[in-house]
Every structure is written in structure tokens, then in C-alpha cells.
Amino acid sequence: MAEISTQRVEAMRQELNDLSQLNAAMFRQIFSGDSTEKGLFAARYDKTNPEADSCSAERGWDLRIEGDFFLVKHAHDSIYIIVGDATGHHAYAGALKVFVAAALQNIFDSFAKKKRAPTGSKVLKELHAFFAKVGEAALIEDSNKPLHHGVDAIVIRIRPGAKAVTCASAGLPLFKVGPKGIVRVGDFNDQDGINFPTSLEITVPFEPKDVPLDVRETRFLAVVTDGFHDLRRVVDGNPQSFGETGIRTALQGALARRKTGHSRGQSPAAVVASTLVAAAKAFRKGYMIPEEKDDDRLAVVVDLRAAWT
């Protein structure tokens, strides 16, 4: 029986691995987004690898499908950079990520036909409507089986001609990074995210706001998913968090690297994104990383100087 059980587990592992590869391929090829100017932004993924990171990590299951994603879209005079984290775990998060990407593709196709450039809040409201429509259909079929989880996301809208930037958030913040400091706009808050409805009788208000950003003293916009913020390690039996302090320290370190020329031929945005990942790896090195708060991580950095030029 033990041998059969092992074989079944191995078969499940292989099926999930195949699903993970399919998920990644679909996302790259179908939802890769529009082409945009080289150097405008950079994205870096990170996940805990005990062997490569020289850390220890107890895992009940070592194969996961990430829920973090980013998309780049164009509409008329605007560039949209959308960063999201499909909540949930394993195969469900991967499927939810593709669902969100498909919905966003439909949303931008619709606006392209109307020859309109939507606000970021309008994009999020349309995405919320997609979740409501699909979730309500599931509840009509069986009110005891609502769909679960949702997505935390942020939409950055850049209008290069006007040198204007706005953002609209549903559970993810951004950081303005410049020579005079780092400013957080918004919060990490799952309660502000987009979720499937849990009942046909209860309607949860969803009113995201478009926030104009004063970017006169801002060089970069950085968005990290909550895997960075929530990352923990165990030191002498006590948990320590990477948190916002770790994010800010990494961003400050990235600015220092650029000033000293230690960029290894990377674009400025790539230097910042890579520094965030390197800081998370350094935080993990030599320590036990609890599984509970060890989510996959994504850092997306926009170089506004490249946007204006």
C-alpha cells in the first residue's frame, strides 16, 4: 500500500508540474501584453529555494503555482502597468491568475473598440464586475458552494505626453522612489482586494479611487506583492519579518548601487527590481523560513525617466 501511495503522490506531483508549465506558457503567449519601450519597467520573480538560498524551509508540499503576475497594456495616449496577486494556493491560484488575465484582456479589448483610454479605477471596477458575474453564476447553481479567493491588484496609468501618472489600488500599494526619499501610496490589505461574492443577497461595495501622483521628485515606481512584506525568518526561536523596513532598505540600497555604478549592465529599473530580490534572498540566508508566510514574490519597477523619453 505504501508503494501505491508513493506512486500516486508522484503522479500528482508530475501532473501539477505539467499544469504549472502550461499555466506559465499560456500566460506568456496569450496574455503577454503589448510591446512597450525597452527600459520602461522591469519585473523580477522570487521564491524560496532552500538549497540555492542556503536556508532551511519545512514544506508540506514543495510544488506551487505562483499567483503573482503583471501585464502591460496600451490604450490611446496611456500605458497601463497592472500588477496582481491571485490569492489562494497551488493550482487554484494559477487558474485564478489566468482567469484574471483573460478578464483584463477582454476589458482592454472592449475599450479599444470604444477608442477610449480608461481610468485605472474603471479597469478595476470592470474586473470586479467579471468576478461578480462568474461568482453569482456559481451561486445560482449551488448557493452552498461559492467560489473562493480573488485578487489583490494595482493599476498604474502613465500618460507620457502629459508627464502624468495615476494609480488605482485594490489591496496593493506602490512606492515612489526618488533622491528625496521613498513614499508609500496605499496599503497591503486583502480586504480591499477583488473577491468572488459569497452570497446573492449581500453586495459588498467596491469603489477604488484614482490617485494622481506627484512625480516631480520621483525616479522610480516600485510595486511588490505581499510575499515580500510578509516574509519571515526564525532567529533564536523568534520570528522576524522582512516587512516594509526591508522593502525600504532594499530600495535605498538600489539607489546607492546606481550612484556607485554597480549595475552590471542592467537597465535602471532592472537594478532596482533585482536589488529587492537580492535583499529577500539575503534575509533568508542561514535561517529557517516558516511556510505559513512564505508566499511567492514579484517586484515590478517603472523607470519614469524612460517613460518621459
Side-chain angles (χ1 to χ4, degrees):
M1 291 294 291
E3 183 179 348
I4 295 175
S5 178
T6 300
Q7 290 176 348
R8 287 178 177 172
V9 169
E10 194 56 40
M12 290 173 60
R13 185 188 302 274
Q14 185 57 51
E15 288 179 0
L16 277 175
N17 185 62
D18 292 344
L19 180 60
S20 176
Q21 292 179 348
L22 175 62
N23 182 282
M26 287 176 62
F27 207 88
R28 284 194 303 268
Q29 298 302 319
I30 302 175
F31 309 117
S32 57
D34 302 326
S35 61
T36 192
E37 294 80 359
K38 185 178 181 181
L40 170 62
F41 78 101
R44 296 289 184 271
Y45 288 94
D46 178 45
K47 65 170 58 181
T48 300
N49 182 323
E51 184 176 351
D53 297 343
S54 300
C55 67
S56 58
E58 295 178 350
R59 294 289 179 269
W61 184 252
D62 61 1
L63 184 61
R64 297 183 297 185
I65 302 176
E66 69 201 17
D68 299 348
F69 66 90
F70 69 94
L71 292 170
V72 180
K73 293 294 181 185
H74 288 245
H76 302 289
D77 65 340
S78 301
I79 302 170
Y80 300 82
I81 297 178
I82 305 158
V83 184
D85 179 6
T87 56
H89 299 284
H90 308 302
Y92 188 88
L96 191 54
K97 178 176 71 172
V98 173
F99 167 78
V100 172
L104 288 169
Q105 184 74 43
N106 185 292
I107 290 167
F108 276 94
D109 286 347
S110 175
F111 280 110
K113 292 178 182 178
K114 297 175 183 177
K115 297 183 179 181
R116 291 171 52 196
T119 62
S121 64
K122 182 62 174 177
V123 172
L124 290 176
K125 287 179 181 178
E126 292 291 330
L127 182 59
H128 180 267
F130 263 84
F131 270 81
K133 182 177 181 179
V134 173
E136 287 168 2
L139 287 168
I140 289 171
E141 289 186 12
D142 190 336
S143 61
N144 295 316
K145 292 183 178 180
L147 298 177
H148 298 290
H149 302 298
V151 64
D152 297 337
I154 188 167
V155 179
I156 301 171
R157 181 189 182 189
I158 303 172
R159 297 169 61 205
K163 290 191 175 181
V165 183
T166 59
C167 73
S169 173
L172 283 182
L174 65 73
F175 293 85
K176 299 196 307 175
V177 183
K180 292 190 176 181
I182 298 167
V183 178
R184 175 172 52 80
V185 180
D187 298 292
F188 291 102
N189 189 351
D190 289 343
Q191 298 302 314
D192 292 335
I194 299 172
N195 296 285
F196 289 112
T198 58
S199 168
L200 291 171
E201 286 74 36
I202 301 174
T203 300
V204 179
F206 181 72
E207 292 295 334
K209 304 297 182 182
D210 291 290
V211 179
L213 301 180
D214 183 350
V215 294
R216 287 172 294 181
E217 298 293 335
T218 301
R219 174 63 193 273
F220 301 102
L221 302 176
V223 178
V224 296
T225 53
D226 63 3
F228 280 95
H229 184 270
D230 295 344
L231 177 62
R232 292 181 184 178
R233 66 187 182 187
V234 177
V235 181
D236 297 329
N238 298 311
Q240 291 183 349
S241 296
F242 189 76
E244 185 168 334
T245 299
I247 295 169
R248 287 178 173 270
T249 300
L251 291 171
Q252 291 165 350
L255 290 178
R257 280 186 64 197
R258 292 197 62 258
K259 290 179 181 179
T260 56
H262 296 298
S263 60
R264 300 179 182 177
Q266 298 182 87
S267 70
V271 170
V272 179
S274 297
T275 301
L276 283 160
V277 170
K281 288 182 180 293
F283 180 84
R284 300 194 295 270
K285 187 175 181 179
Y287 294 97
M288 164 64 75
I289 308 302
E291 182 177 15
E292 180 185 1
K293 291 294 184 177
D294 187 28
D295 198 0
D296 292 338
R297 292 164 285 274
L298 170 62
V300 176
V301 178
V302 180
D303 182 355
L304 290 179
R305 185 174 297 173
W308 307 150
T309 57

